[in-house]
Structures are given as structure tokens and as C-alpha cells.
Amino acid sequence: MTEVQFGDLPSFDQGSAVISCSYSPDGKKLALGLVSGNINVYSTLNWQKLQTLRGHDQVVRAVYSPKGDQILSGSWDKTVRIWDAQSGKCRHVLVGHTDQVHSVAYSPRGDQVASTGDDMTIRLWNPVNGHCRQILSNHDKGVFCVAYSPKGNLLASGSNDCTARLWNTETGECSHIFIGHKAVVWAIAFSPGGDHVASASIDRTIRLWNVETAECAKILSEDSYPFLGVAFSPKGDRIVSGGGEYVQLWDVESGARLESFTGHSKQVYSVAYSPDGNQVASTSTDNTVRLWDVSVRASHTTSSGHSAGTIGLECSPKGDLIASCSFDSTIRLWDAETGVCRRTMSHGDAVHSVAFSPQGDQIVSSSNDHTVQLWNVASGTCQHILTGHTERVNGVAYSSQGDRVASASGDNTVRIWDAKNGSFLGTLSGHTAEVSSVAYSPNGSQIATSGKDYTVRLWDARTMICRGVLRGHFLSVMAIAFSPQGEEVASAGADMGVLIWNVTTGRCRLRLSGHLADIVSVAYSRKGDLLASGSLDTTVRLWDVASGQCRGVIEGPRAIFSVTWNTTGDADYVISGCAFGSVLKWQVTKEGESCRTSLGWAATTGMLIVEGISINGVQGLSQLNHQLLKQRGVVGHMGQLSRRVRVKIVEMMMGLMHRTNPTIALRTVKVVGVLLALLALYVSVKVFFMFCAVIGWTIGSFFRGCS
């Protein structure tokens, strides 16, 4: 099956670029304005085309009247038309614009319609007799969009003169000019409460304006593509926008982007919410209208994740924030409850580890750039850059008092730093290979480290002297964690096992087996009764610390690079970081001897991949979802196998880069690629010569038979 994401619904090809979409007030119909000049009307019950309105001969925008009995359209042919929504007949042709008409709108009571055009005017019409009531002319260039306020007393417009303006519909006076955009204002919308106006521009921003003060209250920006469509949700708490090939969902209060829907292959031109707020329609120059189910956000929040593997995770002491770090050189702070990204900080290279101070006001991070950095959580500013390591820094940890920071590096050392002023305090030396992880004991008296020399070492935090070397792993030890009571240490690594050690005796109490690939992260729950382990085999396993039994398995979409716990009240959650940038929050509920897990939210740039599912074998699908799956198609067994192999190869490469020097890893991958290419060439040449031999033998046999 081709890729499907949460909220994805079928698309409908119109054979022409689709410029606008408008739901009927009852949500049962959707009208589409096409570049061809036609208006296609669909039933939203079964998504069958009901009718096509013909009359315009160029680009057209269309909207429903408040009662749903009429459709208003404006076209580049300089005319505005009013159609009977039931019969599809044109009732009025409104003539007056001297250039292309770009936008049309009905007043909330339906007693007035507005149209805008390249002639720099806004015209107000009587929809009953088709007469022009008033001409508003204050813009300096063409007017591209228009919208009525919920009460109908105000009109907002956006123009090629880079401004948005507010008009009194009774007097025709311009009451406010919204100045701030740096390019064409292409789309505009009033909030349901009428107190704000959203304007979308080619300058790659969406601005929220206060209607009373004309001040810009908020700027929503992706800084990557122009926005041509914008609409408020019926409740007013969300904004949907069309930018580039994407449909984005925004939180109005915070201004954070909640979701980015992908599927269009060309510029998205317009977006619209269904009246019930559960669905969004988007149109594009790729000739399609696409439908998105945004009601899934009621139970699952999906935000945009890192653009590369999420290597490290840490929950704040209060449990309200989650910090993640990634190969994409960034650190992100997530709202633990909603999954909304609150802040992004950047290193100069891949960030390998992140940790909160016990007070929660500071973050420490480590990177491929050989540095350790201290960040202010509130402002996101870097307070100190700690230098001294000569190789990448793999792990960091705070002391229990928060006054010290330990960093583990590929230079075989652990360095201790002052967390307040960033000064260097000392070095832990003893590992004979790269140090992969470091952790302070809960009381701050000990430090545990793990390394690629297959050992775990325990250090006196005050004297910095090694007190014990724990041997039991037979490959690199990648992760380490103290139990909440500090009596035990859990370690895991490339040998696919988790070992639980008694700190006092140095003996291994339990060896946990079940993973099928390297284990790169371990974390204890708050109570210490459960241990989570994350592996490159794409799973997170939940272990009973007392018995060593596996109580649950979370199947991840990609290789797991990091795990941590988040506790809210009596509820426990596991946060997992995956290859390709995903961060997922899972609720863990104990049910007898097992643990049940359910997805809380996901921050990801990827898709939900479903393999091996046949449409005929799925029961209870809605007609709409059945159409979606049928439209996307089902691949054969070999197609599924090739996809699975490709994913595994990528994950192996990501794991290789995580465990070794990235430069060496990339060179290795290149060498393997060249060898595979040569092998493929050899096989192709051999097959070719065999084919030629068969052909030659056949021709020879033919001539011998003739003679």
C-alpha cells in the first residue's frame, strides 16, 4: 500500500487546477472552482459528483450562500455570477469589474455579496437584482481576497499592495489598514468571534490582527513557502492554511503548528473547514481536491518532528516538558500533554544527548561538534559552551543538586563541569574505548559510565576515583541508568541484552533478553518497578524489574534511538524517539501481569506505514476510508518485501552511524554500495551473455534443421 497518514482521506482529480473550495452550510455539499471556468459540486455523503456549473471561461472562485440555496462565483473573465444551487442555473451575471475578478463572498445574512478584482476595487452587490450598491476603492493595487465579519458590519480585504484593510459595509469607509506583510496578501478570514482577522501572504507568513486596535497579535511562519489559503475552525481555536504543497494546522492561542498534511504534488490554493469542524478540504494546481480528517486530533495529537533521528530524550522534573535532540542538530522542547513544540535550539552538528537540571530551569546538551552547551529553558538562549573534549560528546547528566554536569565522550573520558559558570572541574579516565553514556546516582554520590570497551564503571562523584568495573557485556555498552532508589544500575548495548547490577556488590542480578538488535537506551519508571529499553529492532520493551519478565512490547514505526518516562498524576507514559525524527508518547497501564500501551501523541515528519493489508480482509471500513485504501492501492508480496528491506537498510545505516564515527560509517556505506552495484552489473552481464547464447543456439538449430 502507498503511504497513508493520520487524517488522510481520498483525493478527487478534476482534470484542471482547482482554485477554490466551499462547503454548503449543512456540510452536505462541496463546491469547487476550477481554472477551466467550471464549478463542480460534490455530495459529501458519498463523494459523487452532483453537477457541473458552466458559464465562466477562465479561473473561477465559488462560495455558498448562508442558506445554501445559491452559489456565488467570480472569474478572470471579469464577471460575477449567482447560481441556483439546486438546479445549477445561472440567475444573475454581475458586470462592472474592468479586470480579472479574484475573490467573492456572501454577507452572513445573505443580503449582500462582495467581489474583488485586479481593477483595485471591491464591489458590493444586491444578490436579488444584481445591482452594484457600492464601490470601495482604497487599495493601490489589485485586490485578491475578501471576507465578511460574523455580524456582517465589517469587510476585510487583502491586496497586491501588501496590505490588508478593514471596511465598514454600511458607509464604505476604510476603518483600518493592517501593515506588516511584505508581499501579496492572498487570503483572508475572520475568526468566528469577529475579534481577529487572519491574513495569508506570499511573504511566507500568516498574521493575526486585532480588529479593534489593528495591531498584529501573532505571526505564524514556516519561512519556507508562500501561503495562499487560510481558514478558521468553527470553534476558532484552530487555523488551517495552505502553503507550498502542504496543508497546515495551527493552534491559535500559542501560534504553534500542530500538523502538516502532505499529499498534494503542487501549490495548495485554498482550504476550507467543514461546518462541523471535523474535516478540511484543500485544492491545488495538481488538479485535485483532497480531504483531511482533523477529528483524529481529538484522541491523537500529531505534530511535526525532527528531520532526522531522535537520539536523546529527557522529561522535565515537573513533567510538563519533554526535551528531544536529533541528528538534525536541534533540540526541541515539547508540551508533554499536547505534543506541541514550544521551542527549538540548535547546535553546530548532531546533538547526541540532552538532560534537564533538577530545578528544571536549565538544559545541558552534547554534540558531534565536541561541545557541551548549557541552555536557559525559559528563553532558549545558550548560557555557556563548554569545550575540552576532542571527540564527539555522547552523553550528559546533572548531579542530584544540579550544581555539576558530567559529559561522556568519544575521546574515552568523562569530564565534570560547574553547571552555573561552565568551568572545568575534572576528568574521569579509565575507559579504554569510547564512553557512550553517563548517569549520576539519585543521591549524587556516584557516577556510572558505559563504554565501547564492553564495561560499566562506577565512580566516586566527589573524588572522581573509579570504585568498580562491571564486566558482563560482550559487546559495546550503549546505555546506562540508575534505579530511583540508587541501589541498582541497568545497562544495555550492542549484545542485545539488558543487565541489572547491584551497585554495592557489583554483581549482575538479572540479564534481560528479547530484543533482536542493539539496545541504545534504557530508563526506569518513577516508581522503579518497570524498566523501558529501546532498540534498533523498532521496539520498546517494558520489563518487570523484580522478576525480569517482559510485561509489554511497543512496536515503533522505525528504529528506536531513545526512551524516557513521563508521569502525570497516577498515569505513566513512555516517550520514544525514533529514526527519521519521530517522538511518540505512549500511555502505560498495568493489567495484571502485563502492560497495555496506547498512543497519546506523535510528533513526526513521516507517515503511518501499513504493510500486508488487503482491502477485502478489512472489516467495518467506512465508505470514505474504503475509497481511500482502494485509491492508494495494494502492492504485491515482492513490493512489500522490497519496502521492508529498504527500511531495514536505512535503519542499519542509522544504527551504524550511532555506534561509530559518522565519517567512517558513510565511507563504509559507500563502499558497500559500490560493491553491490558491481555485483548487480556482473549479474546483468552474465544474464545478457546467457541470453545471447540461447538465441545463438536457437538460430543455429533452425538453420541446421533447414539444411
Side-chain angles (χ1 to χ4, degrees):
M1 189 195 304
T2 56
E3 293 183 341
V4 180
Q5 62 181 320
F6 282 117
D8 209 354
L9 292 176
S11 62
F12 303 92
D13 196 308
Q14 303 301 303
S16 172
V18 192
I19 302 302
S20 71
C21 54
S22 174
Y23 282 92
S24 61
D26 59 9
K28 295 181 179 180
K29 296 179 182 179
L30 182 70
L32 308 174
L34 311 183
V35 164
S36 65
N38 293 339
I39 302 169
N40 288 340
V41 180
Y42 281 83
S43 166
T44 61
L45 301 178
N46 54 21
W47 293 102
Q48 298 298 311
K49 186 191 291 187
L50 300 177
Q51 57 189 175
T52 298
L53 312 183
R54 295 180 174 87
H56 292 293
D57 57 12
Q58 292 187 57
V59 178
V60 63
R61 286 184 178 269
V63 298
Y64 270 96
S65 64
K67 294 181 179 179
D69 57 339
Q70 293 180 336
I71 294 176
L72 177 69
S73 62
S75 167
W76 282 14
D77 63 12
K78 306 177 187 178
T79 68
V80 176
R81 292 175 181 252
I82 298 177
W83 309 79
D84 185 289
Q86 187 64 32
S87 66
K89 294 182 179 180
C90 181
R91 297 303 186 190
H92 295 289
V93 179
L94 314 182
V95 180
H97 282 287
T98 59
D99 211 331
Q100 298 173 347
V101 178
H102 287 296
S103 181
V104 290
Y106 265 99
S107 66
R109 294 190 299 271
D111 57 347
Q112 188 181 83
V113 298
S115 60
T116 70
D118 260 350
D119 58 8
M120 300 183 288
T121 68
I122 303 167
R123 291 177 178 258
L124 305 182
W125 310 82
N126 184 322
V128 178
N129 55 30
H131 292 164
C132 181
R133 291 177 173 177
Q134 203 166 11
I135 300 175
L136 314 181
S137 54
N138 195 278
H139 282 290
D140 300 327
K141 293 184 179 180
V143 189
F144 279 80
C145 52
V146 66
Y148 279 93
S149 65
K151 294 181 180 179
N153 60 321
L154 296 175
L155 193 73
S157 61
S159 167
N160 198 17
D161 62 12
C162 306
T163 69
R165 296 173 189 247
L166 209 58
W167 310 80
N168 185 298
T169 55
E170 293 296 327
T171 64
E173 294 180 356
C174 178
S175 57
H176 290 307
I177 301 178
F178 302 133
I179 299 174
H181 283 295
K182 299 178 181 178
V184 180
V185 180
W186 198 272
I188 204 159
F190 267 97
S191 64
D195 53 345
H196 284 89
V197 167
S199 58
S201 172
I202 292 179
D203 68 3
R204 304 180 181 183
T205 67
I206 297 171
R207 290 176 178 259
L208 296 182
W209 307 91
N210 186 295
V211 170
E212 292 295 327
T213 65
E215 294 180 353
C216 182
K218 201 173 271 81
I219 299 177
L220 314 181
S221 177
E222 283 297 285
D223 198 28
S224 54
Y225 30 68
F227 292 104
L228 302 187
V230 68
F232 278 93
S233 65
K235 293 181 180 179
D237 58 338
R238 300 284 187 265
I239 284 178
V240 64
S241 65
E245 302 168 4
Y246 308 96
V247 175
Q248 302 89 4
L249 201 63
W250 306 83
D251 180 77
V252 172
E253 183 178 355
S254 67
R257 193 187 72 173
L258 303 176
E259 175 65 289
S260 182
F261 293 112
T262 59
H264 285 292
S265 59
K266 292 183 180 180
Q267 177 68 52
V268 177
Y269 249 80
S270 68
V271 290
Y273 260 101
S274 61
D276 61 8
N278 291 331
Q279 194 178 89
V280 165
S282 60
T283 68
S284 168
T285 53
D286 65 5
N287 298 355
T288 68
V289 55
R290 284 184 175 266
L291 308 172
W292 313 95
D293 185 354
V294 293
S295 66
V296 295
R297 295 194 55 82
S299 57
H300 298 302
T301 299
T302 308
S303 304
S304 179
H306 289 283
S307 59
T310 305
I311 317 173
L313 287 168
E314 178 84 358
C315 185
S316 66
K318 293 181 179 179
D320 57 334
L321 291 175
I322 293 167
S324 64
C325 60
S326 166
F327 279 123
D328 67 7
S329 307
T330 68
I331 303 161
R332 296 192 181 209
L333 295 182
W334 309 89
D335 185 297
E337 182 178 354
T338 66
V340 173
C341 181
R342 297 300 185 190
R343 194 177 304 283
T344 302
M345 294 93 84
S346 298
H347 264 275
D349 207 335
V351 189
H352 283 273
S353 181
V354 65
F356 275 97
S357 65
Q359 296 76 26
D361 59 343
Q362 192 180 66
I363 284 176
V364 63
S365 60
S366 66
S367 171
N368 246 15
D369 61 13
H370 304 180
T371 70
V372 175
Q373 298 193 24
L374 299 174
W375 306 84
N376 182 285
V377 172
S379 65
T381 56
C382 180
Q383 298 173 318
H384 298 288
I385 299 178
L386 316 182
T387 59
H389 284 295
T390 58
E391 294 291 341
R392 70 180 184 186
V393 188
N394 296 312
V396 286
Y398 275 96
S399 63
S400 57
Q401 300 299 317
D403 56 339
R404 291 189 176 191
V405 165
S407 58
S409 171
D411 61 13
N412 303 357
T413 69
V414 175
R415 286 178 170 252
I416 309 298
W417 315 83
D418 187 294
K420 301 304 177 184
N421 56 34
S423 61
F424 172 67
L425 300 177
T427 302
L428 310 184
S429 298
H431 281 285
T432 58
E434 185 171 344
V435 187
S436 56
S437 183
V438 62
Y440 268 95
S441 63
N443 63 11
S445 63
Q446 292 190 84
I447 297 173
T449 59
S450 64
K452 292 189 177 180
D453 57 5
Y454 310 169
T455 68
V456 173
R457 292 174 183 258
L458 299 177
W459 310 77
D460 186 294
R462 185 179 61 83
T463 64
M464 303 186 194
I465 296 174
C466 182
R467 295 302 186 188
V469 180
L470 313 183
R471 304 182 189 275
H473 289 282
F474 54 88
L475 286 174
S476 298
V477 189
M478 310 300 297
I480 198 163
F482 271 99
S483 65
Q485 295 77 25
E487 298 172 350
E488 293 186 330
V489 164
S491 61
D495 58 8
M496 300 179 286
V498 179
L499 275 60
I500 298 180
W501 308 82
N502 183 293
V503 172
T504 304
T505 65
R507 293 180 179 178
C508 178
R509 182 176 66 85
L510 283 174
R511 181 183 292 271
L512 314 179
S513 301
H515 283 293
L516 302 177
D518 300 20
I519 305 171
V520 293
S521 183
V522 289
Y524 279 93
S525 64
R526 182 182 63 175
K527 295 178 181 178
D529 56 335
L530 292 174
L531 181 75
S533 59
S535 169
L536 300 184
D537 66 5
T538 74
T539 69
V540 175
R541 287 182 173 264
L542 304 177
W543 308 90
D544 185 295
V545 173
S547 67
Q549 297 296 311
C550 181
R551 299 305 187 193
V553 179
I554 301 172
E555 296 283 348
R558 294 289 187 265
I560 306 297
F561 283 170
S562 51
V563 292
T564 191
W565 288 83
N566 173 246
T567 301
T568 304
D570 294 329
D572 289 323
Y573 301 88
V574 166
I575 316 297
S576 61
C578 309
F580 309 135
S582 301
V583 178
L584 301 98
K585 179 181 179 180
W586 307 87
Q587 183 169 3
V588 179
T589 306
K590 284 188 175 182
E591 294 183 345
E593 295 298 315
S594 63
C595 291
R596 179 175 57 85
T597 59
S598 57
L599 181 63
W601 53 255
T604 176
T605 54
M607 301 285 190
L608 173 65
I609 307 298
V610 182
E611 295 182 299
I613 290 183
S614 167
I615 293 175
N616 295 328
V618 179
Q619 303 297 321
L621 280 177
S622 67
Q623 183 177 2
L624 202 58
N625 284 326
H626 186 280
Q627 188 170 355
L628 169 66
L629 297 180
K630 185 176 181 181
Q631 185 181 80
R632 299 304 167 87
V634 178
V635 298
H637 175 72
M638 290 304 294
Q640 297 168 13
L641 180 61
S642 63
R643 171 184 288 271
R644 192 175 297 114
V645 169
R646 288 197 300 270
V647 170
K648 289 300 180 185
I649 288 175
V650 172
E651 291 175 356
M652 287 170 61
M653 184 176 70
M654 298 286 280
L656 179 65
M657 292 185 67
H658 184 70
R659 301 192 302 273
T660 63
N661 184 288
T663 303
I664 296 175
L666 287 175
R667 288 176 181 172
T668 303
V669 171
K670 288 179 181 179
V671 170
V672 172
V674 171
L675 292 175
L676 289 175
L678 290 174
L679 178 62
L681 179 62
Y682 169 75
V683 173
S684 299
V685 170
K686 191 169 183 179
V687 170
F688 173 73
F689 279 114
M690 290 177 63
F691 175 75
C692 291
V694 171
I695 295 296
W697 181 84
T698 303
I699 294 175
S701 299
F702 174 76
F703 281 111
R704 285 195 298 272
C706 291
S707 61

